[in-house]
Amino acid sequence: MKWIFLAGLLVFTPLLTMFLRNNRQHLPKAAFALGLLPFIETRLNISAQPYGWPGWQGYVKGIDISLTDAVAVAMIVAGASIKTPLRIKLAFLFFVAVFVISTMAADAKIPSLFYGWQILRCLLVYYAVSRAATADREVPLNLLTGLITGLSIQAVVVVQQHFSGTVQAGGWFGHQNLLGMATHFIVYPAFAAFLGGYYVRRTALCVVAAFVVAWAGGSRATIGLMCVGLFATMVLSCWHRTSSRKMAVAGAGALGIALAVPILIAAIDRRSEVAREHSNDERDTMKAAASMIVADYPLGIGANRFVAVANVGGYYPRAGVTWTSAAAPVHNTYYLIAAEMGVLGVVAYATMLAALLSVAVGTLRMLSPGFEAEYAAGLVVVVLAVAVHSYVEWITMLYPIHAFLAMSVGTMVALRSRATAKKRPPKSVQSAMSHPQPTPAAT
């Protein structure tokens, strides 16, 4: 069956590419599909592996190819050229270089190569969004609408799961922490647009859906970060542009968050105190095991290999990790990267986040008041939320989160490019400045 699917993609991809290339006005529709596809693919498993290890304990189990890849390739070809900021290029190349070094030092290299393939897939998503958004200014809005649609569907799903007896509903993603982190990439740009008065119905729906997802999931990190992130979005949005309407909406939003806090705390309390304490203890023992691995392998054990090495190498048993958690990586992206890609890996990851934050803040400062500026304010908070959430979760390394981040970065770079183009003089003016006409001689 997978070969039929792959053959279908081989036919579908060039057809879609030619269609979008000849009909660029449909790029926003492709962007909507790109935003919605991670949700659909997770639910229906619309992907195939030409080569894979289904039983592998890592977070990437093979060379995946999906419909998202096909849409991304078509959008890249149909889009317009764009320059990625140098600091993002350098930070990304640093991360890739560290990945290569850790892979070369690893005993088993194939699992790490699986993660390398995931990086390439996310690079496709980044270029798809950035190039398409450069070609058509409606792409960011339609991408956000696709993401909002996916999150709104999840809100309905988690409510059904909750009333069916699920203590912590994870929607189509299967786990509340994964769905909770995915929410960050959607709710902050939507809330910023809502504050600015842009596309109020769909953005208000997104905020409500995000709260429903957080309530049904009961994830402590998701709930805490979402409340703080929404407040930070209000601050950034008002800092960039203040109006009486925005201040009134922001005040009402702050009141709404405050009123929702007791409900969200009650959602956290659905888990017993014993279960929460056990979770904290397990996280500590996992970090202890990761620290042992870092001490023994300063260059890393190779990406996508933590669980195998932690168990086979005896690190989990020595650290006291129970058998119920032995199949999961350390619940901390920084520790996970340190173990898999060495100390340099953590430096590279932190450098990349710092570069993204710097570009996001710079983009916000460059943009004139409007929907794009509100979107940029939300993207600043997205990067901050990812950096903080990474400290308590490993799921940042999963493909859906990588893909959502690639979409955010692609949008950010396109908005920055557009703001730069507005400030640049027209080519005719540049030419006149470079080649001034001689002054006529006085008669």
Side-chain angles (χ1 to χ4, degrees):
M1 188 67 182
K2 72 177 180 181
W3 298 112
I4 296 175
F5 175 78
L6 291 171
L9 280 185
L10 285 176
V11 175
F12 173 74
T13 303
L15 290 177
L16 180 62
T17 300
M18 287 188 293
F19 175 77
L20 288 180
R21 190 172 183 178
N22 295 326
N23 301 274
R24 275 187 168 183
Q25 69 272 20
H26 293 294
L27 276 173
K29 296 178 183 178
F32 174 87
L34 192 70
L36 182 59
L37 272 173
F39 299 94
I40 303 298
E41 288 179 344
T42 302
R43 177 67 178 87
L44 301 179
N45 193 26
I46 310 177
S47 65
Q49 293 181 337
Y51 180 76
W53 292 2
W56 181 244
Q57 294 175 308
Y59 41 85
V60 190
K61 301 182 185 300
I63 297 177
D64 286 289
I65 298 177
S66 71
L67 190 57
T68 294
D69 304 320
V71 175
V73 169
M75 290 175 67
I76 289 172
V77 176
S81 62
I82 187 170
K83 292 183 178 179
T84 302
L86 181 60
R87 72 196 87 168
I88 293 181
K89 283 183 180 179
L90 293 176
F92 179 73
L93 289 175
F94 181 23
F95 185 81
V96 171
V98 171
F99 162 75
V100 171
I101 292 171
S102 64
T103 300
M104 292 174 62
D107 296 330
K109 296 176 174 55
I110 291 180
S112 297
L113 294 178
F114 290 161
Y115 179 66
W117 177 257
Q118 178 171 295
I119 293 177
L120 290 176
R121 294 180 69 206
C122 294
L123 201 59
L124 286 179
V125 173
Y126 161 73
Y127 277 112
V129 173
S130 60
R131 288 174 62 87
T134 302
D136 193 318
R137 63 181 308 120
E138 294 298 318
V139 164
L141 172 61
N142 281 266
L143 176 67
L144 182 61
T145 303
L147 293 169
I148 291 173
T149 302
L151 185 62
S152 300
I153 294 172
Q154 297 313 294
V156 176
V157 173
V158 295
V159 168
Q160 293 175 339
Q161 291 175 342
H162 172 76
F163 288 107
S164 297
T166 305
V167 177
Q168 291 186 285
W172 288 349
F173 285 136
H175 199 284
Q176 69 278 358
N177 294 339
L178 179 54
L179 179 56
M181 181 171 274
T183 303
H184 296 316
F185 299 95
I186 311 168
V187 67
Y188 306 131
F191 184 53
F194 176 76
L195 289 172
Y198 302 100
Y199 312 104
V200 174
R201 291 182 181 177
R202 73 187 79 174
T203 53
L205 174 64
C206 178
V207 176
V208 172
F211 271 102
V212 170
V213 165
W215 166 77
S219 168
R220 291 169 292 180
T222 299
I223 290 172
L225 275 174
M226 192 174 72
C227 291
V228 174
L230 291 174
F231 181 77
T233 303
M234 287 190 289
V235 172
L236 279 173
S237 177
C238 293
W239 168 75
H240 186 262
R241 176 179 177 270
T242 304
S243 66
S244 57
R245 179 200 174 278
K246 182 179 285 189
M247 294 302 293
V249 174
L255 178 61
I257 294 172
L259 293 175
V261 166
I263 300 174
L264 297 176
I265 291 176
I268 295 175
D269 290 339
R270 285 200 298 266
R271 279 201 304 170
S272 67
E273 185 176 350
V274 173
R276 295 198 299 270
E277 289 181 355
H278 175 70
S279 176
N280 293 335
D281 292 340
E282 286 290 82
R283 290 170 182 268
D284 290 338
T285 56
M286 287 177 165
K287 286 192 285 187
S291 299
M292 295 178 195
I293 295 176
V294 173
D296 290 346
Y297 299 91
L299 292 179
I301 57 176
N304 197 33
R305 297 187 65 234
F306 181 89
V307 174
V309 173
N311 285 289
V312 176
Y315 295 99
Y316 265 1
R318 276 188 283 158
V321 178
T322 61
W323 67 270
T324 56
S325 302
V330 55
H331 284 38
N332 185 305
T333 301
Y334 298 98
Y335 274 84
L336 178 58
I337 291 177
E340 292 190 336
M341 297 188 225
V343 177
L344 277 179
V346 177
V347 176
Y349 182 61
T351 300
M352 190 157 55
L353 289 176
L356 294 179
L357 181 60
S358 173
V359 171
V361 173
T363 302
L364 176 60
R365 292 171 63 91
M366 292 169 63
L367 287 167
S368 302
F371 168 72
E372 293 179 349
E374 301 297 346
Y375 204 138
L379 292 175
V380 174
V381 183
V382 165
V383 178
L384 289 171
V386 170
V388 176
H389 208 157
S390 292
Y391 193 76
V392 294
E393 281 300 338
W394 66 270
I395 51 178
T396 318
M397 305 299 287
L398 291 172
Y399 174 73
I401 303 302
H402 271 37
F404 286 136
L405 180 60
M407 293 177 194
S408 297
V409 178
T411 304
M412 179 197 311
V413 171
L415 295 180
R416 182 183 182 85
S417 176
R418 190 169 297 140
T420 303
K422 286 181 180 179
K423 291 187 177 183
R424 187 183 301 122
K427 289 185 177 180
S428 58
V429 176
Q430 292 181 13
S431 177
M433 292 172 63
S434 303
H435 305 88
Q437 296 296 320
T439 304
T443 57

